[in-house]
Amino acid sequence: LRQVPDGTPDTAGARAIQGMVEMVHLGKLAEAEELFKKSLEQDPNHDYSLRNYAGLLRLATRTMDRTKVNLRLLELQQVSPA
C-alpha cells in the first residue's frame, strides 16, 4: 500500500481518490480496496468512498459485501436526503 504523497491531506477523501486511481487507472483492485477501507475507517459515512467501494465490490463480484455497503448508503440517504 502506497503512502499518501507528501503535501496530500491524509483524509477520507484523499484516500478515496487514491483508491479510484488504483482501481480505474491502474486496475489494482486489492490496493484500491485497502484505500477505501482506510478511508471508511476515517469517516464511515463518507459517501464518495462508500459509492466507489460498492463499485469495486461489483467489479469483484462480491455480492454480499456490496449489499452491505449499499444498505449503508441507503441508511445515510434516509438520515440526510440530498
Side-chain angles (χ1 to χ4, degrees), residues 1 6 17 19 23 25 27 38 40 54 70 73:
L1 186 62
D6 289 336
I17 291 168
M23 180 172 72
H25 298 290
K38 287 193 178 291
L40 292 167
N70 284 333
L73 278 166

Side-chain angles (χ1 to χ4, degrees), residues 50-64:
L50 286 166
R51 289 181 187 280
N52 289 296
Y53 186 34
L56 178 143
L57 295 171
R58 182 174 51 250
L59 285 173
T61 63
R62 290 177 42 198
T63 306
M64 291 302 293

Side-chain angles (χ1 to χ4, degrees), residues 2-81:
R2 281 189 242 159
Q3 297 294 317
V4 175
D6 289 336
T8 301
D10 185 17
T11 63
R15 288 187 186 277
I17 291 168
Q18 189 179 5
M20 282 299 294
V21 169
E22 295 287 338
M23 180 172 72
V24 174
H25 298 290
L26 302 176
K28 297 181 178 181
L29 298 184
E31 289 86 345
E33 181 172 11
E34 287 302 312
L35 287 161
F36 290 132
K37 285 181 177 180
K38 287 193 178 291
S39 173
L40 292 167
E41 285 174 12
Q42 286 180 293
D43 181 356
N45 299 330
H46 195 260
D47 187 73
Y48 184 81
S49 299
L50 286 166
R51 289 181 187 280
N52 289 296
Y53 186 34
L56 178 143
L57 295 171
R58 182 174 51 250
L59 285 173
T61 63
R62 290 177 42 198
T63 306
M64 291 302 293
D65 292 335
R66 186 178 82 232
T67 300
K68 289 177 189 175
V69 172
N70 284 333
L71 286 172
R72 181 69 186 134
L73 278 166
L74 285 172
E75 288 172 3
L76 290 174
Q77 288 173 354
Q78 291 174 356
V79 171
S80 58

